[in-house]
Amino acid sequence: MSIDWITVAAQIANFLVLVWLLKRFLYRPILDGIDAREVEIRDRMQEAVLAKEQARAVEKAYQDKVHALNVAQSEMTETIRKSAEEQRDVLLADAQKRLEREHDALKTHLDDEAQKYTAKMHRAGAGALLSLTRKALRDLADETLEVRIAHRLVEQAKPMVPDLQRAAGQATEAVITSQSSLPDLVEEELTSELRGAFPEVAVRFGTDEAQAPGLVLRVGGAQLAWTVDSYIDGLACLIEEQLTAGNDLRVKSHEQ
Amino acid sequence: MNLSPDQTIMFQAWGVPINATIFYTWVVMALLTVSAILITRNLRPDVPPNRWRTMLEVIVQGIEAQIEEVAGRRERHLLYYVGTLFLFVAMSNLLLVVPGFEPPTASLSTTTALALSVLIAVPLFGITSRGLGGYLKTYLEPSFIMLPFNIISEFSRGISLAIRLYGNIMSGAVIAAILLGVAPFFFPVVMDVLGLLTGLIQAYIFAILATVYISSATATPPNTEKENP
């Protein structure tokens, strides 16, 4: 065991050369590569952090936009709902008015139809009544209806003569109107009866198709009339009572 | 039987005899350098790391981590020095299994040279780190009475480093040679396997001790730091 100092010096030199060689060919490239990779990783991490922050900002912007859109949608929905409600109210009011107008028109139409029907019924009833009365008078009493009407008017007028004279005043003409022209016999009888009551008054006969069957006497401001209207009204009431009674009977028979 | 490869002359170069220690040192140096060049020749950022480069990175980073653990900080110059120390000793000891190879670390001259280089490196790193005054002051700590003891301690470190490495490696080689004569087949193999293990351990111990010595010389004394109020 001995130390060769020349070898020691050579080994020190060798070792220092080896330090330089390994530093040049091993440590520097390896450490530089590691450092470069660490820098790259650090840069990528920073980029990732930056990208994450950008993504968060974009997400926040997106959330804000979605929120704004939701708010706008809610406002728009509310506006549309209010507008629809207003439009619905307007349409309902229009429909109600139109319905009321149509209802009024229908009611008016029905009233007109009822009036027309009633008038028609009146005319038909009056015609039927006059025909029946005329036929009954001719068959039973051998008289005409016009003569009996004239007698009736004269009988009504006799107790009212003072009142008629007072109402007639200074009138010089009495007018007797009928629906159709009267027979001469009847006119003569009426003229003689009226001259007895009103000697100063001339008698004139006329026709009025719109008038109900019967006679109407007008002297000055006084008027005395006998028509079949009251009979027709009575007949209508009678028919209505009979119809009502018939309905009741029918209902009762159904209930039984 | 030669106990030291210093006594084996391999060849003459320009009249200078080259012994086995220097020759096999050059072999180890060539192996390490060529390996490093081959592995790191395609070392570019755009080339993905292969298994050899990864292995080297693991070794280098392992050495760096050990130095950081001992010294408490990253020191690239220390890495160059201690890393080379470790690789040289480890490679020399591993090549013990190659027939005919005489490890340079089995020579007391080599281990002495390595210990001397550590002895020289300690003050150099210390002066670089602390300055000349700061480094010399450490010999007077904790008291000037400790100056001779500190100097003896400094030299005894180098001697212990040299003798420890030499003794372990040389004894392994000598025992293997003796057993080769006694039992030619089985025992030398077992001893060579054990020699690999002890060789690596010795390389690690040598490098760690060198790191401890150098880092103790370069460490900043606690009393020089400014205390925060």
Side-chain angles (χ1 to χ4, degrees), chain B residues 102-113:
Chain B
E102 292 186 42
T105 44
S107 161
L108 187 58
S109 301
T110 305
T111 56
T112 303

Side-chain angles (χ1 to χ4, degrees), chain B residues 6 13 22-23 40-41 53 114 120 127 156 174 179-180 184 200 210 219:
Chain B
D6 294 352
I22 296 173
F23 174 73
T40 59
R41 62 180 174 175
R53 178 182 160 189
L114 295 178
I120 295 165
I127 290 168
S156 64
V174 170
L179 288 176
L180 195 63
L200 279 178

Side-chain angles (χ1 to χ4, degrees), chain A residues 117 121 235-251:
Chain A
Y117 181 73
M121 285 293 292
L235 179 63
C237 292
L238 187 62
I239 290 169
E240 192 171 350
E241 286 175 3
Q242 290 298 322
L243 287 174
T244 306
N247 284 338
D248 291 342
L249 288 172
R250 198 174 299 153
V251 171

Side-chain angles (χ1 to χ4, degrees), chain A residues 7 18 25 41 44-45 50 52 54 78 84 86 90 102 116 131 142 144 153 163 170 177 205 223-224 234 236:
Chain A
T7 307
L18 183 62
F25 294 109
I41 290 169
R44 285 191 181 178
M45 291 291 289
L50 193 63
K52 202 172 180 181
Q54 287 176 346
E78 186 65 20
E86 288 173 358
V90 169
E102 289 178 357
K116 287 177 184 176
S131 298
D142 197 19
T144 62
L153 181 67
D163 295 331
Q170 300 299 320
T177 57
F205 290 92
Q223 177 174 316
L224 181 64

Side-chain angles (χ1 to χ4, degrees), chain A residues 181-245:
Chain A
S181 58
L182 294 170
D184 294 340
L185 183 62
V186 175
E187 287 184 358
E188 288 174 359
E189 186 180 351
L190 283 172
T191 302
S192 64
E193 289 291 338
L194 285 174
R195 279 185 180 164
F198 303 98
E200 303 298 327
V201 174
V203 178
R204 185 171 62 87
F205 290 92
T207 59
D208 182 4
E209 290 182 355
Q211 182 184 308
L215 295 174
V216 176
L217 169 64
R218 292 187 186 84
V219 182
Q223 177 174 316
L224 181 64
W226 186 95
T227 63
V228 296
D229 279 345
S230 58
Y231 291 90
I232 296 301
D233 292 339
L235 179 63
C237 292
L238 187 62
I239 290 169
E240 192 171 350
E241 286 175 3
Q242 290 298 322
L243 287 174
T244 306

Side-chain angles (χ1 to χ4, degrees), chain B residues 142-161:
Chain B
S143 168
F144 71 91
I145 301 171
M146 298 298 291
L147 175 65
F149 300 103
N150 283 331
I151 293 171
I152 293 169
S153 166
E154 202 71 27
F155 279 99
S156 64
R157 281 177 186 173
I159 294 168
S160 70
L161 273 178

Side-chain angles (χ1 to χ4, degrees), chain A residues 1-38 40, chain B residues 6 19 21-22 25-26 29 32-33 36-37 40 43 49 53 56-57 60-61 64 76 79-81 83-85 87-88 104 108-110 112-114 116-117 166:
Chain A
M1 188 177 90
S2 61
I3 298 174
D4 181 6
W5 290 104
I6 296 173
T7 307
V8 169
Q11 289 295 74
I12 289 174
N14 284 334
F15 179 70
L16 293 178
V17 170
L18 183 62
V19 169
W20 181 83
L21 286 172
L22 290 186
K23 179 184 175 185
R24 169 74 178 79
F25 294 109
L26 180 67
Y27 299 120
R28 274 279 171 83
I30 293 285
L31 291 174
D32 288 348
I34 291 171
D35 291 344
R37 214 156 59 221
E38 282 180 355
E40 186 182 352
Chain B
D6 294 352
N19 59 30
T21 303
I22 296 173
T25 298
W26 286 349
M29 288 171 64
L32 286 173
T33 307
I37 290 171
T40 59
L43 201 63
R53 178 182 160 189
L56 271 188
E57 285 184 358
V60 171
Q61 284 190 312
E64 197 174 24
R76 284 281 163 90
L79 169 69
Y80 302 148
Y81 183 81
T84 306
L85 206 56
L87 290 177
F88 175 69
L108 187 58
S109 301
T110 305
T112 303
L114 295 178
L116 279 175
S117 69
Y166 164 72

